[in-house]
Amino acid sequence: MTRPRMENSADEIAASLAHAIHEHRLAPGSKLSEDEVGEIFGVSRTVVRAALQRLSHSRLVELKRNHGAFVAQPSLREAREVFEARALLEPRTARSAAERITQADITILERHIADEHEALDKGLTGRALYLSGQFHVEIARIADQATVAEFITQLVARSSLVIALYWQRRAALCESHAHHALLRALAARDGARAEDLMKEHLVTLMTSLDLRGRNAVPTSLREALRG
Amino acid sequence: MTRPRMENSADEIAASLAHAIHEHRLAPGSKLSEDEVGEIFGVSRTVVRAALQRLSHSRLVELKRNHGAFVAQPSLREAREVFEARALLEPRTARSAAERITQADITILERHIADEHEALDKGLTGRALYLSGQFHVEIARIADQATVAEFITQLVARSSLVIALYWQRRAALCESHAHHALLRALAARDGARAEDLMKEHLVTLMTSLDLRGRNAVPTSLREALRG
DNA sequence: GAACACATGATTGTATACAACTTTGGATGA
DNA sequence: TCATCCAAAGTTGTATACAATCATGTGTTC
């Protein structure tokens, strides 16, 4: 590898992997070999391990002792919990965002929605999914609550894994409508409405998943025969 | 070092450090030298680094590049945010806990309160503070929401740092009363009341801090003269 | 005496070497 | 044929060595 001496700290590698997971380029259950990742990024296992540990703490990666790192496969229960946690955090955060939003923020959110549409038109569903998540993160940022924003960032990324495992066809359409409506409420500084819309949006998202029972396709063959 | 071959993985070291921070045996700003920590636990820097990175992700430790790890010193803003995040998560979690609590859980919580009193009587304020935090974590556990419980665990630990920095004398008394009242509501399976009490309790906690302005004592002398 | 430059020491950042563990495949025996 | 055991390969866990970086103190210069 003769990359032009990139600043490849553990953070950047973690971010790169997280992005790939978020965009569904890395499927749940995928093995992340330390050697392999290290070779790709041109660093030693030391740095890769740091990155993987970080991702493990965000629950995007599962570390199995003496077995290595794998892209996480949230259980049904965890899937539900992730959305329940979002339901606790995001509606009130949307309300706060409505009270603080600036014109610049509105422009950014409009841009997000436009990019999302564009990605969908081009068939880049992974990218569209990522942007759709970033819309939520952006709202948390606007609310100016860094601590909560961090939690939401993590939950959104985990939601991407949940979607990869428990997505139930169709939808994806209502998505952008919901985001549009949210943006309108935010732009109008209507906190109460933004809160309600966010609550509703999350419920819609959750019901578009199939979190009832046994029908997720396990990506790891071996794992499949153990459960 | 000739310790009896402890199983000192990074997790245990991280937990040990976190516990010390939580009990105020390690003050905010304390330097955590890799060599020193490694010698204490009888492991190499490799393992210590992993532990410190984990704590850094939980915001209990701040990693300054090329300068090392320090026990975190939450800013005023972060201090407020931590309690605001708790206000979003804990009241509803307490309500859930009330709906699911079992007799065994009640016994555990009673025990917690008793231990807390005992620690206070013995003047072990650090331990009392830790137990007081664990009371909240225990409620999250009872609510059976592992994901939210994790967030609350982290926030409670960070609250301990906030208290170390911004504590405003007195109080500590109302604490246990609030916990008593909460326990009664939980035991009575009165979710609405548990939610209200938790909300009130968090507000009380927050107002017992001084989160208005410049009067926290920086523990690192050098840091003090830089701000 | 003050300011700057540089050498020195200490600490972290990264790579590599080796140890420990798990899996896999084949050889052995019943 | 089947089960068991053992050896080999591959991967992770940990320790150590070396490079890079920053802080400190000294010496030179003005």
Side-chain angles (χ1 to χ4, degrees), chain A residues 137-200:
Chain A
V137 171
E138 203 59 37
I139 290 175
R141 185 192 59 72
I142 293 168
D144 203 32
Q145 289 275 340
T147 300
V148 170
E150 252 172 60
F151 290 151
I152 291 178
T153 300
Q154 180 188 135
L155 290 170
V156 163
R158 291 168 74 177
S159 297
S160 177
L161 284 174
V162 169
I163 289 171
L165 287 171
Y166 304 105
W167 192 246
Q168 203 192 15
R169 308 290 146 244
R170 62 185 167 87
L173 308 166
C174 39
E175 270 279 18
S176 45
H177 284 194
H179 284 188
H180 254 304
L182 250 169
L183 176 52
R184 274 199 302 276
L186 290 170
R189 289 190 167 64
D190 187 341
R193 179 156 173 74
E195 181 172 344
D196 284 342
L197 284 172
M198 181 62 90
K199 209 178 293 183
E200 194 184 311

Side-chain angles (χ1 to χ4, degrees), chain B residues 175-211:
Chain B
E175 269 282 15
S176 46
H177 285 191
H179 285 187
H180 253 304
L182 250 169
L183 176 52
R184 275 199 301 275
L186 290 170
R189 289 192 168 62
D190 187 341
R193 179 155 174 75
E195 182 173 345
D196 284 343
L197 283 172
M198 181 61 90
K199 208 178 295 181
E200 193 185 312
H201 177 41
L202 288 173
V203 169
T204 304
L205 258 177
M206 202 165 163
T207 54
S208 81
L209 301 175
D210 185 354
L211 300 182

Side-chain angles (χ1 to χ4, degrees), chain A residues 21-42:
Chain A
I21 292 172
H22 205 149
E23 284 194 349
H24 287 188
R25 299 198 307 273
L26 275 172
S30 304
K31 174 91 194 272
L32 298 174
S33 152
E34 295 180 356
D35 274 327
E36 199 175 348
V37 175
E39 203 169 344
I40 290 169
F41 288 97

Side-chain angles (χ1 to χ4, degrees), chain A:
Chain A
M1 271 280 157
T2 53
R3 292 174 171 249
R5 180 131 298 289
M6 270 203 214
E7 264 294 332
N8 262 327
S9 84
D11 274 319
E12 297 177 52
I13 294 174
S16 180
L17 289 173
H19 194 234
I21 292 172
H22 205 149
E23 284 194 349
H24 287 188
R25 299 198 307 273
L26 275 172
S30 304
K31 174 91 194 272
L32 298 174
S33 152
E34 295 180 356
D35 274 327
E36 199 175 348
V37 175
E39 203 169 344
I40 290 169
F41 288 97
V43 296
S44 77
R45 283 178 48 218
T46 309
V47 180
V48 174
R49 281 178 75 81
L52 291 175
Q53 277 181 356
R54 219 155 299 187
L55 292 172
S56 149
H57 200 280
S58 316
R59 303 283 179 177
L60 291 183
V61 157
E62 196 178 345
L63 294 180
K64 299 185 184 173
R65 190 173 170 99
N66 287 318
H67 285 255
F70 301 82
V71 177
Q73 304 189 75
S75 65
L76 270 166
R77 181 206 173 99
E78 187 181 333
R80 277 190 225 105
E81 286 189 353
V82 164
F83 279 94
E84 281 161 7
R86 291 184 65 173
L88 286 185
L89 293 173
E90 296 201 58
R92 294 262 301 264
T93 300
R95 179 193 282 260
S96 299
E99 293 163 1
R100 281 158 222 258
I101 197 163
T102 68
Q103 187 53 50
D105 293 327
I106 294 173
T107 307
I108 291 174
L109 289 179
E110 283 170 345
R111 180 81 208 190
H112 256 285
I113 292 182
D115 287 352
E116 194 182 330
H117 277 215
E118 191 185 321
L120 268 181
D121 287 345
K122 289 185 182 170
L124 305 170
T125 58
R127 174 145 185 79
L129 179 65
Y130 171 75
L131 289 167
S132 154
Q134 287 315 106
F135 186 85
H136 289 251
V137 171
E138 203 59 37
I139 290 175
R141 185 192 59 72
I142 293 168
D144 203 32
Q145 289 275 340
T147 300
V148 170
E150 252 172 60
F151 290 151
I152 291 178
T153 300
Q154 180 188 135
L155 290 170
V156 163
R158 291 168 74 177
S159 297
S160 177
L161 284 174
V162 169
I163 289 171
L165 287 171
Y166 304 105
W167 192 246
Q168 203 192 15
R169 308 290 146 244
R170 62 185 167 87
L173 308 166
C174 39
E175 270 279 18
S176 45
H177 284 194
H179 284 188
H180 254 304
L182 250 169
L183 176 52
R184 274 199 302 276
L186 290 170
R189 289 190 167 64
D190 187 341
R193 179 156 173 74
E195 181 172 344
D196 284 342
L197 284 172
M198 181 62 90
K199 209 178 293 183
E200 194 184 311
H201 177 42
L202 288 172
V203 169
T204 305
L205 258 176
M206 203 164 162
T207 54
S208 81
L209 301 175
D210 185 354
L211 299 183
R212 290 164 320 200
R214 274 291 76 179
N215 64 340
V217 184
T219 51
S220 160
L221 302 318
R222 186 163 297 279
E223 290 290 322
L225 307 176
R226 294 235 173 119

Side-chain angles (χ1 to χ4, degrees), chain B residues 33-61:
Chain B
S33 152
E34 296 179 356
D35 274 327
E36 199 176 347
V37 176
E39 202 169 343
I40 290 168
F41 289 97
V43 297
S44 77
R45 283 177 49 216
T46 308
V47 180
V48 174
R49 282 178 74 82
L52 291 176
Q53 278 180 357
R54 218 156 300 188
L55 292 172
S56 149
H57 201 282
S58 314
R59 302 284 178 177
L60 290 184
V61 157

